[in-house]
């Protein structure tokens, strides 16, 4: 049985970063990167392990963000339970969308389309409904303090998002080694065969979508807490659907560390272009799109998969050398 | 409010808009019918085509209806090349990868447009933009009527191509039975690319017909293509008559719901149709059971 050691080491190393790095800009960059990694891990549970490629994970991100923000601003709910309810709302939405779409047997292109449509409907509703602040968006009150989940120091936010990422990594690990995870992968590889062996594919996929929705919603809740402002274009925009799937695909679908590795690479690339060419609308997304196409083209199993291939390649070579020698 | 004087123009305008939708949806359904994937780059290609038509007019002084004859072949070649040299090789024959690659291309095109031209909305001024036909009960804008007629010409040409030419036969063969087509010597990669090229050419024609009365910005294709997705799903993926009928239905629904519910809620109406059809009858109204 695999141990949790790699996860623990990665988290410990990342947790030490603010002790070395003092720059607010760098910490801000890392916070956003980890937030995207979290959203990507949500996508990865459903898309990577379950093989159901969602093009509308913004639905969960936005729901988490709006629920947290609205509960605090309009109903005076404390930030912590607000955060938890935001996550629960994401899970509930995942369960509902999953139950509806998998009941109809939607797969592949159809599944991608219907998830996209749900995100779009939510975006339009949020852009006109009075409760979300409609076109103006929702601005949250600045009220620093641990009680309100608003920190003066970037490091505190960094540790908070890192804790969430750590939980998501452990969830992915647990899924990987559980019976549920085996079912999920079986459904991904061959749904008909899995069903023939008695796996309730619908239930398994819906459960995966519930977990997936909860994790991506957590990233949305964090976004609201961190930036204290959301509108329909941010919360339910295509950008987050694209970034969530991008990190998982680039890092390696269906691997525990894929989304984290993908987020670091993707965000670093975006930042590097910004430094080299300057800040211009659309530039980072051009790079992301190109990287997406290239990774699928050259490394279909992502960075983690590519890394495993390289290690195997060298491993085999050394065995051969030993034989010949 | 329910008087004929308001309803008739709304329905007629819905039908005219439906014709343009039909053209966009035709390209989408053609690609789905053969490659069995949804081309998520369709909307971005439409935005690109609208920009091309815009600059053909602004810089070269080409009337959109003249530019059409230039742009359709250019976009055919572009679509062919995209499928043959990028989407095909990049996706390693896996459907899910193909979806992602078209999404990646969409993101690249859309943001390249945004980067180059910013988010500004542009329009062109053609002398006939505000000319109308007087039908007695109402007036119809000349460019919209031209578009309506042109769509039927294109659909007829497409039908002739699919029915009577070798290329059309090869496309239909691959759509029906890919392996069998391969065994009798049809180059499937070539047919895929031809189909993608035809679908992209449809988008270019739609752009030329739209630009006299419409606007262009980097995201404009998206709004359009989501409507086109709805049409294709409603009509049954891969079904050409379904796409045309679905387009007219959606055009009228949009026009009427815009009239009674306002613009943004009218849009939600379309999405709700979309989701309900997908959930209850994913094969659409005219599609065969999968």
């Amino acid at each position: 049985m695999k141990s949790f050691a790699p996860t623990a080491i990665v988290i410990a190393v990342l947790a030490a970063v603010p002790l070395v790095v003092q720059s607010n800009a760098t910490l801000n960059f890392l916070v956003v990167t980890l937030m995207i990694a979290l959203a990507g891990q949500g996508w990865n549970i459903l898309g990577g392990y379950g093989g159901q490629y969602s093009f509308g994970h913004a639905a969960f991100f936005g729901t988490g963000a709006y629920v947290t923000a609205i509960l605090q601003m309009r109903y005076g709910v404390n930030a912590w339970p607000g955060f938890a309810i935001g996550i629960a709302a994401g899970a509930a939405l995942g369960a509902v969308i999953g139950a509806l779409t998998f009941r109809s047997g939607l797969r592949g292109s159809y599944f991608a389309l219907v998830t996209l449509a749900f995100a779009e409907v939510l975006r339009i509703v949020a852009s006109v409904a009075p409760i979300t602040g409609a076109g103006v968006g929702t601005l949250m009150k600045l009220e620093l303090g641990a009680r309100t989940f608003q920190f003066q120091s970037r490091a505190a936010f960094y540790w908070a998002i890192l804790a969430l990422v750590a939980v998501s990594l452990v969830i992915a690990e647990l899924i990987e080694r559980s019976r549920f995870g085996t079912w999920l992968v079986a459904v991904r590889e061959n749904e008909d065969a899995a069903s023939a062996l008695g796996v309730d594919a619908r239930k398994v996929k819906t459960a995966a979508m519930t977990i997936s929705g909860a994790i991506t919603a957590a990233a949305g809740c964090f976004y609201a807490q961190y930036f204290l402002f959301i509108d329909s274009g941010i919360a339910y925009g295509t950008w987050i659907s694209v970034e969530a799937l991008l990190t998982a695909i680039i890092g390696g679908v269906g691997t525990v560390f894929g989304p984290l590795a993908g987020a670091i690479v993707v965000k670093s690339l975006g930042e590097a272009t910004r430094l080299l060419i300057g800040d211009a609308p659309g530039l980072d997304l051009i790079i992301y799109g190109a990287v997406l196409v290239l990774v699928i083209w050259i490394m279909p199993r992502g960075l983690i998969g590519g890394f495993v291939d390289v290690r195997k390649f060298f491993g085999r070579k050394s065995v051969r050398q030993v034989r010949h020698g | 409010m329910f008087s004929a004087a308001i309803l008739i123009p709304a329905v007629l305008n819905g039908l005219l808009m439906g014709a343009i939708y039909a053209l966009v949806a035709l390209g989408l359904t053609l690609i789905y019918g053969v490659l069995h994937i949804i081309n998520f780059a369709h909307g971005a290609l439409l935005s690109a085509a609208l920009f091309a038509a815009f600059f053909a007019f602004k810089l070269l002084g080409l009337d959109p209806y003249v530019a059409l004859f230039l742009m359709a072949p250019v976009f055919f070649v572009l679509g062919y090349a995209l499928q043959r040299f990028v989407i095909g090789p990049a996706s390693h024959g896996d459907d899910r990868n193909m979806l992602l690659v078209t999404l990646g291309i969409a993101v690249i095109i859309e943001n390249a447009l945004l980067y180059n031209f910013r988010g500004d909305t542009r329009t062109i001024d053609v002398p006939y933009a505000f000319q109308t036909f007087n039908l007695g009960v109402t007036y119809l804008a000349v460019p919209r009527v031209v578009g309506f007629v042109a769509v039927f010409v294109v659909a007829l040409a497409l039908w002739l191509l699919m029915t009577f030419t070798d290329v059309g036969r090869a496309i239909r063969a691959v759509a029906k039975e890919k392996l069998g087509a391969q065994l009798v010597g049809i180059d499937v990669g070539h047919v895929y690319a031809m189909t993608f090229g035809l679908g992209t050419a449809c988008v270019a024609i739609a752009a030329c017909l739209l630009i006299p009365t419409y606007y262009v910005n980097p995201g404009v294709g998206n709004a359009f293509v989501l409507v086109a997705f709805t049409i294709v799903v409603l009509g049954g993926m891969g079904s050409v008559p379904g796409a045309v009928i679905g387009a007219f239905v959606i055009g009228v629904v949009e026009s009427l719901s815009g009239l009674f519910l306002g613009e943004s809620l009218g849009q939600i109406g379309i999405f709700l149709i979309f989701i309900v059809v997908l959930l209850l009858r994913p094969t659409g109204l005219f599609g065969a059971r999968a």
Side-chain angles (χ1 to χ4, degrees), chain B residues 19 23 146-158 244 248:
Chain B
L23 204 48
V146 171
F148 188 80
V149 174
V151 167
F152 281 95
V153 175
V154 172
L156 181 69
L158 213 53
V244 176
F248 287 124

Side-chain angles (χ1 to χ4, degrees), chain B residues 32-261:
Chain B
Y32 186 86
V34 178
L35 281 81
H36 301 294
I37 57 130
I38 289 175
N39 174 20
F40 280 94
H42 214 62
L45 285 167
L46 179 62
S47 300
L50 279 164
F51 268 104
F54 174 85
F55 284 111
F57 181 80
K58 280 278 158 173
L59 302 180
L60 307 175
L62 274 181
D63 188 275
Y65 296 142
V66 180
L68 190 153
F69 294 96
L70 187 71
M71 274 178 54
V74 168
F75 271 75
F76 173 81
V77 172
L78 176 73
Y80 185 97
L82 262 183
Q83 168 61 32
R84 186 102 222 209
F85 303 115
V86 181
I87 302 172
S91 51
H92 308 285
D94 181 285
D95 281 0
R96 277 191 303 233
N97 283 346
M98 229 190 257
L99 282 182
L100 290 173
V101 173
T102 62
L103 179 73
I105 291 171
V107 171
I108 296 172
I109 295 177
E110 202 184 310
N111 289 288
L113 293 173
L114 180 66
Y115 180 66
N116 280 308
F117 309 123
R118 303 295 135 138
D120 311 338
T121 291
R122 302 154 199 245
T123 52
I124 64 170
D125 281 319
V126 284
Y128 47 80
F130 293 106
Q131 282 175 17
T132 52
F133 289 120
N134 189 351
L135 293 187
V137 278
T138 180
Y139 296 93
L140 292 177
V142 169
R144 296 260 161 125
V145 177
V146 171
F148 188 80
V149 174
V151 167
F152 281 95
V153 175
V154 172
L156 181 69
L158 213 53
W159 180 77
L160 290 173
L161 177 89
M162 295 299 265
T163 316
F164 295 109
T165 65
D166 280 347
V167 172
R169 284 192 198 99
I171 289 177
R172 282 185 292 137
V174 172
K176 271 232 166 71
E177 180 55 63
K178 185 174 137 194
L179 201 63
Q182 218 160 9
L183 285 174
V184 296
I186 293 173
D187 180 353
V188 172
H190 174 70
V191 168
Y192 273 12
M194 287 294 283
T195 312
F196 211 92
L198 285 174
T200 314
C202 283
V203 158
I205 297 172
C208 292
L209 298 175
L210 259 180
I211 192 84
T213 55
Y214 217 68
Y215 58 89
V216 51
N217 66 36
V220 65
N222 269 344
F224 244 90
V225 94
L226 283 166
V227 176
F229 284 152
T230 312
I231 291 164
V232 169
V233 165
L234 187 68
M237 295 248 202
S239 154
V240 171
V244 176
I245 297 169
F248 287 124
V249 171
I250 292 293
V252 173
V253 166
E254 185 190 48
S255 169
L256 289 180
S257 58
L259 187 65
F260 294 120
L261 302 172

